[in-house]
Amino acid sequence: MTLVGVEELRAAQQRIAGVAVRTPLLPCPWAADGTRRLYLKPESLQPTGAFKIRGAHNRLAALTEEERARGVVAQSSGNHAQAVAYAARELGIKAVIVMPDTSPAVKVENTRSFGAEVILVPPGERDTLPAELAERHGYVWVPPYDDPYIIAGQGTVGLELAEDAPDELDTVLVPVSGGGLISGTAAALKLTCPGVRVVGVEPELAADAQASLRTGVHTAWPVADTYRTVADGLRTPSVGTLPFAHLQAYVDDIVTVSEAEIRATVALLARRGRLVAEPSGAVAPAAYFHRAEEIGGRVVAAVVSGGNIEPTLLAELLGTEA
């Protein structure tokens, strides 16, 4: 299986220039504890509120004219949905998005606002209907993570980290779901600054990737189990086939965080970091605050992968003590 390399990562960086935001690497002096320092990479500042625009635009921009004319179909709980819809609008491509009916309303509404047709289905049908629609209507399927163009696009996060990080950076924390973000980011970091450790982070209630990496066996969890976590963007039951190969090649470890820790970190990032993060986006920094012994490191960067949170949930979490 061919892994994404520097050439594909650089090509993606060129394709998405001017569309995806080159997000800053923010020092967080308020999070230092005398022995460790934290930097945050706020992908919540992207035009669609999450990192997914990188991979989606890279995939759609690489389509042929014939493929663009056919339109695209994708499945997502929300952030990939918005990204594909946004990229399709910018490139003049029809987009049909299959979303679970449990998706946050803000993500469904945003996806529709970008001009995509949204089809809501029970969670168990999210990953099967797109193939049927592609077969029936000729759409090009744009998967959320199991695609080299998607992985390369998400990997531009890693290229930017490598270019912007202080020389002392030793650990990077990345959330894990289907594995596109951590695959591309880990590849970029290991291929350009190999001394940096890459540690994935996922909810305890959706820890299929940790089980897969630590056992070496590609493991899936039941949808009913992964859908228990508040981190709705990380409920995918297993990492993709291509992402799993990247995890085995480039990722040092995967740790988990609890629901209480995720919720507390959303509030902490809002109060102290002045950043709005959805629960999925707070998972990586949650490991810095609650899993220090597991992740190690003295100078740590954490990817805040998205900020598309329901206002009512944000208000609820800000009403609790961080």
Side-chain angles (χ1 to χ4, degrees):
M1 188 174 296
T2 304
L3 303 183
V4 168
V6 173
E7 183 177 345
E8 291 83 4
L9 291 161
R10 295 294 184 196
Q13 194 171 42
Q14 292 180 358
R15 284 193 195 98
I16 70 172
V19 177
V21 174
R22 184 190 175 97
T23 53
L25 189 60
L26 302 176
C28 301
W30 54 269
D33 62 7
T35 61
R36 299 181 304 147
R37 297 186 351 240
L38 175 67
Y39 290 80
L40 294 175
K41 188 160 180 63
E43 286 295 293
S44 50
L45 300 180
Q46 292 294 348
T48 58
F51 73 95
K52 291 283 191 175
I53 187 61
R54 297 172 180 268
H57 188 82
N58 189 49
R59 172 66 277 191
L60 267 61
L63 293 176
T64 66
E65 288 302 318
E66 184 274 334
E67 289 171 326
R68 294 187 186 196
R70 287 158 52 192
V72 298
V73 63
Q75 80 268 32
S76 168
S77 63
N79 285 335
H80 182 61
Q82 294 171 86
V84 172
Y86 184 93
R89 185 188 68 179
E90 295 301 297
L91 295 168
I93 300 171
K94 177 182 178 179
V96 178
I97 313 294
V98 178
M99 302 180 70
D101 54 18
T102 55
S103 298
V106 65
K107 295 184 177 182
V108 176
E109 292 164 6
N110 286 346
T111 303
R112 286 180 171 143
S113 75
F114 295 136
E117 176 187 345
V118 174
I119 301 175
L120 297 175
V121 298
E125 297 178 19
R126 188 196 79 159
D127 294 327
T128 56
L129 183 57
E132 296 176 18
L133 293 174
E135 177 68 23
R136 190 183 313 156
H137 300 288
Y139 300 139
V140 176
W141 179 44
V142 181
Y145 45 83
D146 210 345
D147 180 280
Y149 285 93
I150 296 292
I151 291 173
Q154 320 304 27
T156 58
V157 169
L159 289 181
E160 293 173 12
L161 278 166
E163 293 163 359
D164 297 344
D167 293 339
E168 322 90 88
L169 179 71
D170 55 41
T171 305
V172 174
L173 305 175
V174 187
V176 187
S177 181
L181 176 60
I182 193 168
S183 294
T185 300
L189 289 167
K190 294 295 186 179
L191 294 172
T192 59
C193 47
V196 174
R197 295 178 67 249
V198 179
V199 178
V201 189
E202 61 184 346
E204 290 177 351
L205 298 183
D208 58 279
Q210 184 190 65
S212 297
L213 183 64
R214 292 188 176 182
T215 65
V217 178
H218 196 177
T219 302
W221 279 32
V223 170
D225 287 352
T226 61
Y227 269 68
R228 295 173 298 167
T229 179
V230 70
D232 62 274
L234 305 181
R235 291 170 175 167
T236 302
S238 71
V239 296
T241 302
L242 186 55
F244 182 52
H246 284 76
L247 260 64
Q248 290 184 302
Y250 297 126
V251 175
D252 294 283
D253 195 12
I254 296 176
V255 302
T256 64
V257 289
S258 71
E259 296 297 292
E261 290 162 352
I262 295 169
R263 290 170 175 268
T265 303
V266 170
L268 180 64
L269 291 175
R271 291 196 184 105
R272 300 298 307 278
R274 281 74 177 177
L275 287 175
V276 173
E278 62 189 276
S280 304
V283 164
Y288 173 88
F289 294 111
H290 301 283
R291 293 290 186 268
E293 292 185 2
E294 290 184 70
I295 66 171
R298 295 177 58 83
V299 181
V300 180
V303 178
V304 180
S305 56
N308 293 312
I309 186 172
E310 286 282 8
T312 52
L313 177 58
L314 179 60
E316 174 191 332
L317 298 182
L318 285 173
T320 63
E321 289 299 321

